[in-house]
Amino acid sequence: MASHAPAMKSIGILTSGGDCSGLNAVIRAVVSHAIEHHGWRVIGIRQGTMGLMRRPVEFEELGLRVVTGNILRLAEVIEGYRQLGLDALIGIGGDGSFAILRRLAIQGGINLVGIPKTIDNDVGATENSVGFQSAVAVATEALDRLQPTAASHDRVMILEVMGRDAGHIALTAGIAGGADVILIPEIAYTIENVAAHIAKVRQRGRNFALVVVAEAVKDTLGQTVHQRHGGGGASYGGIGHRLGEALARLTGAETRVTVLGHVQRGGEPNAIDRLIGSVFGIHAVDLVAAGRFDRMVAWRNREVVDVPLADAIATPQCVDPQGALVRTARGLDISFGDA
Ligand code: F6P
């Protein structure tokens, strides 16, 4: 699977896992570069890998017009790839999707190139995934909007954000949005420490406080909090309300909780996601042209590079508790609830 360029004619492209802002920028770059530069066909596969399992296979040929403008039975997916006569597949996904796609690629001889996308920014071996920066912008704006109402009613405002097991959204938006407390899965907190920090903020004469909490932090009993969904399934969620009740009890302050939820995944991508998506799309097509498969495009040190897909899957990228952003937050007297 590794490294010889076939006489390329058709490549497939699919997204897998949770949606996020910026996917259209990726698809635009892939379609435009593959068609304009190489004269290839680009086949958009509907419904991710499900589309390859359906018969007839669910796809749409993507032309330049389109770009101005989605467990597995392995054998069927592989057969779907063959039925479409594809020479390569560009998979846009997170680490979970890449693990599945890579298994398919190895088993079925699929020439796979990965493009990382997830608001959680937890894909290994890349500093940035498409969708993360837009989610941070949404969470930061939420803090900006919460601040005046917090101040006018003397309240402690708690904002619960997504991110799965990584605290990147909470940490980044928390610094940018002027939070007083940031709680992330990577740093254990106690509710007493959080309450003490809020008391300190109030003693200094401020009548409100902003708390950002990542959905996967553990509650005071050391458990993560989950919510059940109508129609089945469960995911992280609910820690904000537990915190709100506990903080009201311990500080005597009036608390209100905002759960940001899926608004972090939709809407217009910000400029950085459009840029990263474009850069990733072009580089992915270049990898296909060079016959370099089983690789993922990545952003490192102000450059686009590519790395073995196995490296991207191996180690999820969590917040470094000693890293620059945590140090910056501590320098701003933001509490992580750990002291
Ligand atoms: O991985 C992206 C993500 O939005 C997480 O941040 C969140 O925990 C999860 O997906 C939510 O999943 P669902 O869309 O199934 O509720």
Side-chain angles (χ1 to χ4, degrees):
M1 190 163 43
S3 229
H4 64 280
M8 194 62 56
K9 289 191 181 72
S10 292
I11 62 173
I13 183 166
L14 60 78
T15 68
S16 182
D19 53 283
C20 62
S21 295
L23 294 178
N24 286 340
V26 178
I27 294 167
R28 178 184 70 165
V30 167
V31 172
S32 149
H33 199 43
I35 295 178
E36 299 256 41
H37 194 87
H38 295 284
W40 300 341
R41 295 175 68 212
V42 182
I43 307 296
I45 295 147
R46 293 184 191 276
Q47 307 292 327
T49 39
M50 287 297 291
L52 281 177
M53 284 169 41
R54 299 239 164 88
R55 297 296 176 271
V57 175
E58 291 193 9
F59 70 96
E60 179 183 333
E61 179 151 359
L62 300 177
L64 293 173
R65 267 214 213 148
V66 171
V67 300
T68 57
N70 109 30
I71 222 165
L72 297 173
R73 301 190 292 275
L74 301 188
E76 286 171 53
V77 174
I78 294 162
E79 177 53 25
Y81 173 85
R82 302 241 173 283
Q83 275 191 19
L84 289 176
L86 298 179
D87 300 294
L89 182 67
I90 295 177
I92 311 168
D95 52 356
S97 301
F98 285 151
I100 295 166
L101 285 169
R102 186 162 188 264
R103 202 146 45 91
L104 284 167
I106 289 168
Q107 195 164 321
I110 293 173
N111 292 323
L112 177 66
V113 168
I115 297 180
K117 67 96 189 117
T118 166
I119 65 166
D120 307 335
N121 206 26
D122 58 353
V123 176
T126 181
E127 289 161 11
N128 227 318
S129 289
V130 175
F132 170 62
Q133 300 287 350
S134 301
V136 169
V138 170
T140 303
E141 186 187 341
L143 285 169
D144 289 347
R145 288 172 183 267
L146 288 171
Q147 187 275 330
T149 179
S152 71
H153 291 279
D154 299 349
R155 284 173 175 163
V156 174
M157 288 291 189
I158 295 147
L159 178 68
E160 178 182 315
V161 299
M162 284 183 162
R164 220 174 280 264
D165 296 300
H168 298 293
I169 297 176
L171 175 59
T172 313
I175 294 172
D180 299 291
V181 177
I182 300 173
L183 302 180
I184 56 176
E186 295 85 347
I187 299 179
Y189 75 96
T190 70
I191 193 70
E192 289 77 16
N193 287 338
V194 177
H197 189 75
I198 287 170
K200 188 174 87 179
V201 167
R202 294 167 96 201
Q203 274 156 24
R204 285 177 181 164
R206 190 131 63 67
N207 67 333
F208 72 93
L210 298 176
V211 177
V212 186
V213 58
E215 62 181 356
V217 302
K218 295 175 175 58
D219 70 9
T220 38
L221 299 172
Q223 307 281 319
T224 49
V225 183
H226 291 83
Q227 59 192 348
R228 300 217 146 274
H229 302 292
S235 61
Y236 288 129
I239 185 70
H241 287 284
R242 298 236 183 142
L243 265 178
E245 283 160 26
L247 283 178
R249 214 174 40 245
L250 288 171
T251 65
E254 204 181 332
T255 60
R256 290 290 188 273
V257 179
T258 301
V259 180
L260 208 45
H262 290 79
V263 297
Q264 291 158 101
R265 294 210 319 220
E268 289 205 358
N270 73 359
I272 296 177
D273 270 334
R274 294 178 202 199
L275 197 70
I276 294 277
S278 304
V279 170
F280 280 176
I282 300 293
H283 196 69
V285 170
D286 287 345
L287 284 178
V288 174
R292 301 184 62 222
F293 302 116
D294 199 22
R295 302 193 66 79
M296 182 191 80
V297 301
W299 188 256
R300 285 186 181 173
N301 300 322
R302 301 167 74 102
E303 246 315 337
V304 62
V305 296
D306 49 87
V307 297
L309 253 177
D311 289 2
I313 299 164
T315 323
Q317 178 180 263
C318 288
V319 168
D320 176 0
Q322 269 77 48
L325 289 190
V326 172
R327 295 199 313 271
T328 299
R330 293 196 194 279
L332 290 165
D333 200 29
I334 297 170
S335 168
F336 288 92
D338 55 341

